[in-house]
Amino acid sequence: MATIIKSGLGEFHRNPGRIDPFRLSTDVTRVKKGVEPRNLHFDIRLLGPGEYSSPYHFHRYAEELFSILSGSATLRTWNGLEKVEQGDIIFFESGQTGAHQLHNHTAEPCIYLDVRSFTGQDVCEYPDSGKLLLVPSMEIFKKGSDTGYFDGEENIGEIWRELGM
């Protein structure tokens, strides 16, 4: 069955848990109409004046595509800053070179379609803050505490003895 989400009739809600200046809003029309995609995930986003879409990040296992529906913003990528505007389509490959962040440098809202692949799991990396986000568990870790596969496993015999073996 086809579901139509009419342009201009969106009901935007602030994304919960956000802080200034990351006050991105998402259109809840898709959810209200019962559209729950299995493979093609998408949202219509509203980025208010002076706001940032999210911390600068990239996805290790997902691709993402933005289509600017109205307004304009400044896009930050691996290559620097560039203005994007209504009608522009921006593709972000997975990996470090697909890093991205939007900033609405204007006095008008910027509305865009956010389409992303999702295979059930992803790792998002945040180069500015050194964080890693595991999806879907939403666990967040600081990068930089690498360890060996067997570090901390040296006393396995003791653990088994405590278990009665």
Side-chain angles (χ1 to χ4, degrees), residues 31-103:
V31 175
K32 283 188 167 187
K33 287 187 173 226
V35 177
E36 296 181 23
R38 274 188 261 159
N39 302 307
L40 183 65
H41 292 260
F42 67 95
D43 286 294
I44 299 171
R45 312 278 194 187
L46 185 146
L47 189 60
E51 295 177 347
Y52 295 84
S53 57
S54 63
Y56 183 63
H57 70 286
F58 63 89
H59 302 265
R60 290 189 180 175
Y61 304 106
E63 297 170 322
E64 201 163 8
L65 182 134
F66 292 171
S67 177
I68 308 298
L69 302 176
S70 66
S72 64
T74 301
L75 174 67
R76 177 184 175 192
T77 68
W78 182 256
N79 294 322
L81 302 176
E82 186 171 344
K83 183 179 174 185
V84 293
E85 54 195 17
Q86 183 176 345
D88 290 349
I89 297 172
I90 309 112
F91 172 73
F92 308 104
E93 67 270 15
S94 61
Q96 190 173 21
T97 56
H100 58 279
Q101 180 182 47
L102 281 176
H103 174 248

Side-chain angles (χ1 to χ4, degrees), residues 5-13 26-30 32 44 46 111:
I5 298 172
K6 290 287 196 177
S7 176
L9 300 179
E11 183 181 333
F12 290 95
H13 290 198
T26 299
D27 182 0
V28 297
T29 305
R30 173 183 64 81
K32 283 188 167 187
I44 299 171
L46 185 146
I111 298 176

